[in-house]
Amino acid sequence: MATTIVTPSCLGNEIANNYNNPPLAPIPIIDISLLSSCSEEGENELQKLKLALTSWGCFQAVGHRVESSFLDKVSEITKRFFALPMEKKHKYDREANSLEGYGNVPNVSKKIIFNHSERILLKVAPENERRIERWPCNPTDFGDVLDEYSAIMKSTSRFLLMQRRIRLLNLEKNCFLNAYRDEELIGARFNYYPESASSDIVVGAEAHSDVSGITILLQDKEVEGLQVLKDGQWFRVAILPDALFVNVGDQLQIISNGIFKSPMHRVIVESKKERISVAAFHLPKYEVEIGPVQSLMDENRPQQYMRLKDYRGF
Ligand SMILES: O=C(O)CCC(=O)C(=O)O
Ligand SMILES: [Fe+2]
């Protein structure tokens, strides 16, 4: 579900961008439990959220009420799946013409190790479109944990899309969810960045923005790697134990008429340590036509994007 695939002609720019230890990003930390409160604290948090979405396009969500032990379980099943022997993982290989399944993206450069990763993408919502037979049954609790995690990701994404964002921009109630026609697609991507024998730069995921409306990312608790681009400068994203990293995807950028930013991000991994992450992509179904919300267009801010459906990337 990543977009903006970096083709070889773009690699020059990629190389020009500092791979080596960019500064830590002062990404806003938002206590999302305060967002539905009308207290002064709630209002402040809301202003912080607005700034986060319009400048960085991302934030670290705390106060989300997902048990830390459950997040550990999600990380645990991820590690256990990727630790399986290759032939067992290949049972879940992505089929031709499908985004779902296990695989990786081929390396396109000899100078830098690119796409040093394995990943498995599974559609988790709508439930009747799940292909359960393609879900790993090893570790044995993979399906149960993913099922529970999907429900949490669905309600958290809806919560973030609804109420407060609307008040933030004085929009009518539920206008973002209406843009989704009230039924969403959710894909869960489990990412694994193995350790590497090379001491060179290891790019786990090339620079991309997400196709989603919003993405909720569970980062590795111990190994950093995620970087975000802002104003032409790359920043490292800190690990904040038990925080969920939330970023705007391209489709919410379109729906918000460019007010919310879908940030470019990438993963640069330390070669000596393996790393995992789990991304939940929340997006309108492909057949739903999306476009900028009417009330976010005026003479000062004309329509920035055409209406479209089946969005797969800019
Ligand atoms: O591994 C990460 O931290 C980010 C993964 C990512 O950007 C993605 O799956 O789209
Ligand atoms: Fe991404």
Side-chain angles (χ1 to χ4, degrees):
M1 267 190 213
T3 64
T4 330
I5 301 295
V6 179
T7 57
S9 62
C10 303
L11 289 176
N13 295 339
E14 273 289 287
I15 291 163
N17 270 317
N18 54 326
Y19 280 122
N20 284 326
N21 217 18
L24 265 184
I27 290 177
I29 300 168
I30 311 281
D31 182 345
I32 64 172
S33 71
L34 295 175
L35 293 179
S36 30
S37 148
C38 294
S39 64
E40 198 185 323
E41 238 184 342
E43 288 304 319
N44 288 342
E45 218 57 16
L46 194 60
Q47 286 313 319
K48 256 166 73 184
L49 177 64
K50 184 171 178 179
L51 199 69
L53 299 176
T54 52
S55 59
W56 288 94
C58 56
F59 61 93
Q60 300 264 26
V62 297
H64 48 63
R65 302 210 172 96
V66 191
E67 293 280 341
S68 165
S69 58
F70 184 66
L71 292 179
D72 289 346
K73 223 182 215 176
V74 176
S75 298
E76 185 61 34
I77 57 157
T78 309
K79 287 184 182 156
R80 279 172 37 216
F81 171 75
F82 286 112
L84 292 175
M86 232 3 140
E87 71 274 11
K88 293 219 160 116
K89 292 187 278 193
H90 279 312
K91 264 177 50 190
Y92 305 101
D93 274 355
R94 194 157 56 88
E95 295 164 337
N97 302 326
S98 170
L99 288 171
E100 272 193 89
Y102 169 80
N104 58 10
V105 189
N107 198 357
V108 290
S109 165
K110 291 208 170 61
K111 289 206 186 86
I112 295 179
I113 300 174
F114 273 98
N115 287 319
H116 190 61
S117 67
E118 297 173 31
R119 43 180 66 172
I120 180 164
L121 175 68
L122 301 166
K123 191 192 277 190
V124 296
E127 285 191 26
N128 62 359
E129 290 181 22
R130 287 180 178 179
R131 295 184 62 201
I132 297 286
E133 73 285 1
R134 307 283 302 158
W135 287 23
C137 42
N138 191 345
T140 47
D141 53 352
F142 190 101
D144 288 341
V145 174
L146 180 54
D147 184 45
E148 192 175 338
Y149 193 57
S150 309
I152 296 171
M153 289 299 105
K154 182 169 173 174
S155 56
T156 310
S157 306
R158 284 184 157 235
F159 171 78
L160 290 171
L161 277 177
M162 269 155 52
Q163 23 171 341
R164 303 293 282 185
R165 282 210 188 177
I166 312 311
R167 270 196 46 214
L168 206 66
L169 297 170
N170 298 324
L171 298 174
E172 67 270 26
K173 202 165 171 266
N174 282 355
C175 77
F176 289 138
L177 270 187
N178 287 346
Y180 273 57
R181 296 279 172 276
D182 240 349
E183 198 186 9
E184 62 272 77
L185 206 62
I186 305 178
R189 181 158 66 204
F190 298 81
N191 297 303
Y192 173 62
Y193 309 95
E195 53 186 271
S196 134
S198 161
S199 56
D200 293 342
I201 291 159
V202 182
V203 179
E206 292 165 18
H208 67 279
S209 57
D210 289 342
V211 162
S212 57
I214 54 174
T215 304
I216 303 182
L217 184 81
L218 173 62
Q219 281 209 81
D220 196 297
K221 255 185 157 169
E222 278 150 27
V223 185
E224 236 185 51
L226 181 61
Q227 299 186 359
V228 174
L229 187 69
K230 183 171 183 289
D231 303 329
Q233 155 89 58
W234 284 102
F235 290 91
R236 279 156 45 228
V237 175
I239 296 171
L240 205 61
D242 298 328
L244 291 166
F245 177 84
V246 180
N247 66 272
V248 172
D250 296 347
Q251 299 204 55
L252 190 56
Q253 178 169 322
I254 294 172
I255 294 168
S256 69
N257 201 24
I259 292 176
F260 296 151
K261 305 283 180 271
S262 170
M264 291 289 275
H265 53 284
R266 66 184 184 187
V267 178
I268 309 293
V269 276
E270 259 187 69
S271 55
K272 301 287 176 292
K273 293 180 184 154
E274 61 177 18
R275 176 176 185 275
I276 56 117
S277 69
V278 181
F281 303 102
H282 186 268
L283 60 155
K285 295 179 87 177
Y286 291 125
E287 61 272 25
V288 171
E289 190 181 272
I290 60 151
V293 169
Q294 196 65 42
S295 46
L296 292 178
M297 298 186 271
D298 56 30
E299 63 279 11
N300 298 324
R301 189 171 189 88
Q303 181 168 359
Q304 311 277 315
Y305 305 98
M306 306 289 287
R307 294 192 65 77
L308 52 89
K309 56 184 167 187
D310 201 16
Y311 176 81
R312 313 257 169 174
F314 282 118

